[in-house]
Amino acid sequence: VARTRLVVVGGDAAGMSAASQARKRRDADELEIVAFERGGHVSYSACGLPYYAGDVVKDWHDLIARTPEQFAEQGIDARTGHEVEAIDLEARRVRVRDLAAGRSGDEPFDALVVATGAEPLRPPIPGIDLPGVHGLSILQDGIDLRRAIDAGPARAVVVGGGYIGLEAAEALVNRGVPTALVEAGPQVMGHIDPDMGELVSQATRDVGVELYTEEKVEAVEGDGRVRAVRTGSRTLEADLVVLGLGTRPAVGLAEAAGITLGPSGAIAVNARMQTPHEGVWAAGDCVQARHVVSGQPVNYHLGTIANKQGRVCGINLGGGYATFPGVLGTAVSRICAVEVARTGLSEAELAQLGLEWETATVDSTTRAGYFPGAAPIRTKVVAERRSGRLLGAQIVGREGAAKRIDVFAAAIWNGMAVDDMVHLDLSYAPPFSPVWDPVLIAVRKLSEQVERDLQACL
Ligand SMILES: Cc1cc2nc3c(=O)[nH]c(=O)nc-3n(C[C@H](O)[C@H](O)[C@H](O)COP(=O)(O)OP(=O)(O)OC[C@H]3O[C@@H](n4cnc5c(N)ncnc54)[C@H](O)[C@@H]3O)c2cc1C
């Protein structure tokens, strides 16, 4: 039997999961696997970068799940410092640049996995490339940011109040750096509803971050090094700037090769992670997925999704059969002690879909009210009008709050109505929750509302 050659572009979560799963099912006599990664590392946790920058994780090596040497033992040739410059679908080869040697050459493939991830948005703001302005996207960014914080900056500005911006702000304030955060929208965490987002904005202020919302950065100022960030309303001095302006799917390479993109702007794949092009697969932040509630094509950038998609892709490449059913966009984050979580659809997304819904919001405590450490938790649930089908949930609260979102995620995934959830046999002991967990109080309240509305309509 002729040996098949699998080429993987991008050596992180999705690409290396695909490579490992394919290897598990087919040995090196049957399948040669080569992964090209332009960065200096493969298979690392980007999610851990803010915690390395903030000195919670002491050694960046701990963020690496597997090195090229460990992959070599598995029979996977993972080449760092190698950038894929072009894909030729007709000739079935990629053009690869060895960045250290400064040479490019062609590498043939029988099967190809595109796992190029997402890239940070870097709008053409004057001064954005000045020394002292940091992104936080790849491992090297985390290493550079940590070094910059170690050097003891006088003042930092974080641009962008998404979760990466907030996690960077947490790292800075925990290391004693006076920090301002500038956000163009009305609240931080723009993907959650305004009433919940306001709590997160307040939590950001409470930890000492100077927060400026509805202000756009117009320029980064400095001469040879960053000195300040100028918004429409003020100039904020800073000798360290961190950008968290959002990300987009890294599809330039795929698009140039003629690989089909979907309406979300990411690579279109079927449930087995195959593109419409023979032998070409894709997974991770660069691909489009189906939203389980809306049925719409979406493109989220989450490690949870990338790992699962890579696994599905690799199982199929190894001759097995697996499908990826879709996503809910379940995500958790925190700003210091305040945790934030969401799953399913927000009210803004529901409005766009033309659905009608009811919401219930409850304030409760993370532990039994009398138990030391009991702290506030606000839980918001959204259900379809009349049917009561759970459509989304959001949580903001202190320790132990965020992971409660997983109960809602499991319920939405299984198409449960709030009424079905009222008697869920969830756990309880005073250190963990009140006897009526906030999840249950919220669904009970919403289920009563849905029922009242239904009666009123009859
Ligand atoms: C700071 C930060 C915090 C995060 N926190 C969380 C979190 O808490 N929870 C969560 O679920 N997700 C989190 N994420 C998102 C998560 O890290 C990503 O969703 C995940 O890494 C995506 O995996 P991927 O393999 O699709 O893409 P990536 O991890 O981006 O990997 C793609 C790789 O492809 C390489 N590449 C791109 N183009 C080429 C080319 N032409 N040639 C060779 N190599 C190429 C890139 O260098 C990169 O290493 C975080 C991300 C960041 C940046």
Side-chain angles (χ1 to χ4, degrees):
V1 189
R3 198 155 89 128
T4 305
R5 191 168 205 248
L6 167 63
V7 164
V8 176
V9 190
D12 199 24
M16 297 321 287
S17 297
S20 299
Q21 288 297 327
R23 171 56 76 234
K24 260 195 194 167
R25 284 161 182 81
R26 288 173 72 185
D27 62 30
D29 299 341
E30 275 185 282
L31 182 70
E32 180 188 0
I33 307 177
V34 189
F36 295 110
E37 165 57 51
R38 69 177 168 207
H41 308 277
V42 290
S43 215
Y44 61 91
S45 169
C47 314
L49 296 179
Y51 303 100
Y52 173 66
D55 198 30
V56 177
V57 175
K58 303 289 171 193
D59 184 344
W60 62 259
H61 293 92
D62 293 342
L63 300 179
I64 295 177
R66 249 182 296 173
T67 61
E69 293 72 30
Q70 289 167 313
F71 279 112
E73 281 165 24
Q74 243 187 292
I76 296 171
D77 180 2
R79 298 190 204 163
T80 55
H82 282 72
E83 179 163 18
V84 174
E85 298 175 311
I87 300 168
D88 187 335
L89 293 180
E90 279 293 306
R92 305 201 77 68
R93 62 177 181 232
V94 290
R95 185 148 191 86
V96 184
R97 185 160 192 82
D98 178 338
L99 297 172
R103 268 195 315 269
S104 298
D106 287 339
E107 295 278 350
F109 66 82
D110 300 301
L112 181 74
V113 175
V114 181
T116 44
E119 55 202 15
L121 294 175
R122 233 182 144 94
I125 298 169
I128 199 167
D129 293 323
L130 277 171
V133 179
H134 293 256
L136 192 52
S137 175
I138 58 170
L139 182 55
Q140 192 57 48
D141 294 337
I143 295 172
D144 293 344
L145 180 58
R146 164 74 173 261
R147 208 169 281 147
I149 300 175
D150 288 346
R155 256 186 77 83
V157 171
V158 176
V159 186
Y163 76 89
I164 292 181
L166 285 184
E167 290 174 2
E170 170 180 321
L172 287 159
V173 292
N174 281 347
R175 305 255 345 247
V177 183
T179 300
L181 192 150
V182 181
E183 162 60 47
Q187 65 178 58
V188 296
M189 288 280 183
H191 61 289
I192 62 175
D193 293 333
D195 50 340
M196 301 298 276
E198 186 41 46
L199 289 184
V200 189
S201 294
Q202 191 51 49
T204 307
R205 291 186 199 102
D206 289 346
V207 297
V209 174
E210 265 172 56
L211 176 62
Y212 300 102
T213 52
E214 295 184 86
E215 283 190 31
K216 270 206 169 120
V217 170
E218 294 183 345
V220 179
E221 297 177 344
D223 38 15
R225 257 206 81 76
V226 61
R227 274 193 300 105
V229 170
R230 180 157 51 77
T231 74
S233 315
R234 72 197 78 238
T235 298
L236 295 160
E237 277 181 28
D239 48 357
L240 172 63
V241 173
V242 185
L243 302 177
L245 289 162
T247 48
R248 62 169 171 230
V251 293
L253 180 70
E255 199 175 12
I259 294 174
T260 311
L261 304 184
S264 69
I267 299 172
V269 287
N270 64 17
R272 296 186 73 189
M273 309 310 298
Q274 266 170 317
T275 73
H277 314 276
E278 176 66 28
V280 180
W281 304 69
D285 285 358
C286 61
V287 308
Q288 174 173 289
R290 190 185 69 91
H291 196 287
V292 168
V293 180
S294 69
Q296 303 283 317
V298 291
N299 173 235
Y300 293 143
H301 304 156
L302 289 166
T304 47
I305 299 171
N307 277 286
K308 290 187 194 104
Q309 289 179 333
R311 179 170 179 275
V312 166
C313 185
I315 291 172
N316 288 317
L317 279 160
Y321 182 85
T323 56
F324 182 74
V327 298
L328 289 176
T330 310
V332 293
S333 185
R334 71 170 199 196
I335 171 80
C336 298
V338 173
E339 305 179 349
V340 194
R342 68 156 284 171
T343 188
L345 298 172
S346 66
E347 290 192 85
E349 289 165 325
L350 288 168
Q352 263 180 10
L353 290 166
L355 292 177
E356 290 189 19
W357 69 92
E358 303 224 17
T359 72
T361 303
V362 299
D363 287 306
S364 179
T365 51
T366 51
R367 301 174 175 181
Y370 56 80
F371 200 88
I377 172 172
R378 182 170 293 177
T379 307
K380 176 172 180 175
V381 277
V382 184
E384 188 173 30
R385 193 172 169 216
R386 304 192 77 167
S387 76
R389 177 171 62 116
L390 187 66
L391 299 172
Q394 297 173 13
I395 300 174
V396 178
R398 299 215 161 218
E399 192 181 352
K403 283 296 274 180
R404 284 178 161 99
I405 205 71
D406 291 339
V407 175
F408 291 119
I412 298 176
W413 191 264
N414 287 296
M416 289 175 85
V418 276
D419 189 35
D420 304 322
M421 294 181 69
V422 171
H423 296 291
L424 276 181
D425 188 7
L426 304 185
S427 59
Y428 154 69
F432 302 102
S433 74
V435 68
W436 281 96
D437 191 273
V439 168
L440 292 177
I441 307 174
V443 293
R444 196 180 62 202
K445 185 172 172 195
L446 188 51
S447 145
E448 286 163 6
Q449 259 172 241
V450 170
E451 181 58 28
R452 268 200 305 276
D453 177 59
L454 193 60
Q455 295 302 331
C457 291
L458 291 177

